[in-house]
Amino acid sequence: MAVRKFSVSDASFEHVPGLDGDVFTGNLVDQHHGSPITIGYGRYGPEVSIDITLAVDDVMVVLKGQLSVSGEDGIVVTAGPGEIVHMPKGDKVTIRAHEDGAITAYVTYPHWQEAESG
Amino acid sequence: MAVRKFSVSDASFEHVPGLDGDVFTGNLVDQHHGSPITIGYGRYGPEVSIDITLAVDDVMVVLKGQLSVSGEDGIVVTAGPGEIVHMPKGDKVTIRAHEDGAITAYVTYPHWQEAESG
C-alpha cells in the first residue's frame, strides 16, 4: 500500500444507518483497503444529538465546530478545533453537536462498519 | 475505560529517539492505557526532514503548518490543516515539514513505541 492524503472534499458523506439526526460519515480507508483501521471524515448538523454504543475504539479529531461527548459516568467533555476525543470500545456515549455543527476526522480500530453490522 | 478529551497543551512532547532533527511526539493514549491504539500530538520544526520505515499503520491529521510525505514510489503528497495522511505499515517514507513547521494529531495501530522497540 502507498501513502495517501485525504481532504474533506474527498469524502462521500452518507447518512449513518440507524441513527436519527443529521449525522454523516465518509470513509476513506476501510475494510476494502487492506489496512486494519478505518479512516474518514464525519459531519454533524447543528444541535444534533446521537446515542451510540461503541463497537470499536473510535478517535475523533474535531476540525470545525464543537462536540460534547458524555459517557455512562455522566462526565461530559467538549472538544473544539484541534482537540481529540477518544471513545473506547464498549462505551455507551451521547455525542452532541453545538450550534454550528461539527466536522471531524476519525480513525477506528477495528473497522466500525464491519463491527456494527456483525 | 472512559471517554477522554485531549488538547495539544496536554501533550508532553519528547524528542523522538533515533531521529535526527526537530521532531517531537507526545503520546496521550498508548500501551499503558489498555486500548489497542496509540493517540498523540506531533510537532515538527521548520524544514525538518526525517526518513522512517513504518512499524505500524500511522494516521496523521495536520492541524497547523504543512507536511510533505514521499513514499518508495516517489509520489509526494502535501497536507495542510484539516487534511489526513495515511502511512501504511511497512512503508518507507520521508516526512518533510515546510517553512512554518507543523503540528499533527496522530493515531497508530498497533502501538508505535512497542513496535519500534521490539
Side-chain angles (χ1 to χ4, degrees):
Chain A
M1 294 183 68
V3 172
R4 295 177 70 192
K5 183 202 87 165
F6 305 103
S7 303
V8 68
S9 59
D10 297 324
S12 296
F13 286 106
E14 298 177 5
H15 192 257
V16 180
L19 283 186
D20 288 335
D22 198 13
V23 180
F24 300 84
T25 57
N27 283 0
L28 294 161
V29 173
D30 61 18
Q31 59 274 14
H32 304 103
H33 299 88
S35 274
I37 51 179
T38 288
I39 304 169
Y41 286 102
R43 200 176 72 205
Y44 297 77
E47 309 287 357
V48 67
S49 177
I50 59 171
D51 299 314
I52 51 174
T53 299
L54 291 150
V56 295
D57 269 74
D58 191 327
V59 181
M60 300 191 292
V61 181
V62 177
L63 301 174
K64 287 187 183 177
Q66 283 196 307
L67 289 175
S68 290
V69 183
S70 55
E72 291 172 86
D73 54 11
I75 295 173
V76 181
V77 299
T78 296
E83 296 184 315
I84 303 170
V85 179
H86 176 214
M87 301 180 291
K89 180 176 173 178
D91 274 26
K92 292 176 75 169
V93 302
T94 299
I95 304 174
R96 183 177 66 79
H98 292 219
E99 61 266 27
D100 295 326
I103 302 281
T104 65
Y106 59 77
V107 179
T108 78
Y109 172 81
H111 300 297
W112 69 269
Q113 280 181 338
E114 287 188 337
E116 293 194 356
S117 66
Chain B
M1 293 183 68
V3 172
R4 294 178 69 195
K5 183 201 89 166
F6 305 103
S7 304
V8 69
S9 59
D10 296 323
S12 296
F13 286 106
E14 298 176 5
H15 192 259
V16 181
L19 283 185
D20 289 334
D22 198 13
V23 180
F24 300 84
T25 56
N27 283 359
L28 294 160
V29 173
D30 61 18
Q31 59 275 12
H32 304 104
H33 299 88
S35 273
I37 51 178
T38 288
I39 303 169
Y41 286 101
R43 199 176 73 205
Y44 297 77
E47 309 289 358
V48 69
S49 177
I50 59 171
D51 299 314
I52 51 174
T53 299
L54 291 150
V56 296
D57 270 73
D58 191 328
V59 181
M60 299 190 293
V61 181
V62 178
L63 300 175
K64 288 187 182 175
Q66 282 196 309
L67 289 175
S68 290
V69 183
S70 55
E72 291 172 86
D73 56 9
I75 296 173
V76 181
V77 300
T78 297
E83 296 184 315
I84 302 170
V85 179
H86 176 215
M87 301 181 291
K89 180 178 174 177
D91 274 27
K92 292 175 75 169
V93 302
T94 299
I95 305 174
R96 184 177 66 79
H98 291 221
E99 60 267 27
D100 295 326
I103 302 281
T104 65
Y106 58 78
V107 179
T108 79
Y109 173 81
H111 300 297
W112 69 269
Q113 280 182 336
E114 287 188 337
E116 293 194 356
S117 66

